[in-house]
Amino acid sequence: MSDLTLAQWQHKAAHLTLPSQAFIDGAYRDAIHGATFDCINPANGKLLTKVAACDGADAELAVHVARTAFNDRRWSGLSPKQRKLILQRFADLMRLNQLELALLESLDMGKPISDAMGYDAPAAANCIAWNAEAIDKIYDQVAPVEASALALVTREPLGVVAAIVPWNFPLVMACWKLGPALATGNSVILKPSEKSPLTALRIAGIAKEAGIPDGVFNVLPGFGHTVGEALAMHTDVDCITFTGSTKIGKHLVECSGKSNLKRAFMECGGKSPNIILADAPDLDAAAKSAAGAIFYNQGEVCTAASRLLVQNSIKPQFIARLLAHAREWISAHPLDPATRIGAIVDNSQMEQVLRYIEIGKQEGAKLLLGGNQTNTESGGFYIEPTIFDEVTPKMRIFREEIFGPVLAITGFDTLEEAITLANDTDYGLAAAIWTSDLNKAINGSRALRAGSVFVNNWDGGDMTMPFGGFKQSGNGRDKSLHALEKYTELKSTWIQLE
Ligand code: NAD
Ligand code: MN
């Protein structure tokens, strides 16, 4: 943690050099066609910088460069130990530059600087270091066949991996892909969101400084429908690894089918349920956690606990506690170290969240807290933490991902009813259950159709645990050793002996 004040952070921001060019073959460069897009600071609506808007031509060049680097084995041909040392240096340099990375992240997407310093920047470096450490400790296999043969099962890198990532945790989402893809020897082309390209661009230079060879790690800022689409349709890209909305995830799977059947891993959206049973061990802890689970990162979290399911026998008391905790989440300037809710990433996302708040009112849900844009004098994009009660499964605010600080509460009587409500969704990213009863905890967590289930907590997790979704929340897993499997092919080699 740093103890800089708002004024000190603003001073640093004013003197910061913002990266703005693409990174291809080890060098920063403008987009081939010279186009740029505006990178806006959501805290005040002002222009931060103009960033290279790459398109199909840049994708063509980057794929060629990445393929050349893969084929001549300048990275894939290094021993795992050598790749480990370079990636460890990469992680170390990210840690040395933590303050700058955190500041870029906060400026670009509006998250509180305390969160960027406390989570995003260190977690991103830790992810790279963890994958670096893993890569020379994993063994391939020898199959138990007859003595007349030696049968090997080995893993090989895929080749060129395109990583397309969202704006809500730009650096962390990028590193969840980069860490395992680079560790296993692939070449990577990273396409950050047009809403938050800055940290991706900055770490490209850091990676080069760490010794990652030219062409192995490239970054193409730009729009999804131009450069993103070009990568997804490219016949010389071996894998598209994506985090973002379910809508675009579905489209990218189609792109794979229409082009070269590239491996397609989709980490998508969620509408995650948080079940509070009357016998929860500590109702106040549960209420505090429920507030954080929807308001952290402005509610712009794929695993946000956006549906709160509360047992009717305790619902009034629980809501009173929840409101008390929710009132501590105040939307304020992201660079103020005391801020807990920063700015919404941009105007269009703010408008979308406000539209959903209107829909909730029209559908007949009961507004308990918030519901408005706030801090309008700043010129930035802020929304009050918002809570609706009496939400029913038919309502859109129960079913659709809002991706903002908006909570929907629904009551239930029995655990069975809670599980039915919880699973009544197209998504399956995360779910939680709060109870003191071991049987309810275990049977409940088994019945929940979600990639992550939390018992008596919301945000448990670690690099050692896989992360990803059931159902339309996607396929494949980030984090843990399982993530390394995505970026390798299995090869069976049968050696006949005399
Ligand atoms: P998005 O789907 O709009 O965009 C994600 C990325 O895809 C961006 O880089 C965008 O430019 C690119 N893209 C858009 N259209 C494309 C196209 N036609 N071809 C190729 N690329 C294209 O999502 P977003 O608004 O940036 O992020 C929010 C979403 O991400 C939410 O749904 C959230 O739940 C999800 N998310 C999921 C996880 C997870 O791990 N499951 C984590 C974080 C965010
Ligand atoms: Mn931005």
Side-chain angles (χ1 to χ4, degrees), residues 2 20 30 42 46 49 61 80 105 178 192 216 221 257 288 301 338 379 382 437 440 442 469 476-477:
S2 103
S20 62
D30 292 333
K46 291 196 181 129
T49 183
L61 175 62
E105 201 82 316
L178 275 182
V216 170
K288 187 176 183 191
V301 182
Y382 299 84
D437 182 327
K440 287 183 196 162
I442 293 172
R477 292 294 182 269

Side-chain angles (χ1 to χ4, degrees), residues 39-42 48 107-109 194-197 345:
C39 180
I40 304 290
N41 181 354
L48 283 167
L107 286 172
D108 202 356
M109 63 71 65
E194 59 278 14
K195 299 186 184 196
S196 61
V345 69

Side-chain angles (χ1 to χ4, degrees), residues 163-169 173 176-177 191-195 222-232 240 242-249 251-252 255 266-270 300-303 345 349 401 403 427 429 467-469 473-474 478:
I164 300 185
V165 297
W167 48 262
N168 60 335
F169 291 91
M173 294 301 108
W176 284 5
K177 316 288 189 201
K191 207 297 278 175
S193 169
E194 59 278 14
K195 299 186 184 196
F223 294 98
H225 63 275
T226 56
V227 66
E229 185 88 15
L231 291 169
I240 190 120
F242 170 81
T243 299
S245 63
T246 293
K247 177 171 169 239
I248 302 298
H251 173 69
L252 295 181
C255 289
M266 304 295 140
E267 295 284 352
C268 301
E300 298 161 337
V301 182
C302 52
T303 53
V345 69
Q349 181 66 16
E401 184 179 48
F403 225 56
Y427 294 112
L429 197 51
F467 183 98
S473 289
D478 286 326

Side-chain angles (χ1 to χ4, degrees), residues 1-4 9 12 16 90-106 113-126 171 199 202-203 206:
M1 269 297 160
S2 103
D3 33 24
L4 301 181
W9 278 114
K12 282 202 180 294
L16 188 63
F90 183 24
D92 286 343
L93 289 173
M94 283 174 68
R95 290 177 180 130
L96 271 178
N97 291 283
Q98 169 168 340
L99 197 140
E100 181 191 349
L101 290 172
L103 181 54
L104 286 172
E105 201 82 316
S106 176
I113 188 68
S114 298
D115 293 346
M117 284 292 287
Y119 175 68
D120 299 75
N126 183 47
L171 191 54
T199 45
R202 181 64 187 95
I203 61 168
I206 295 177

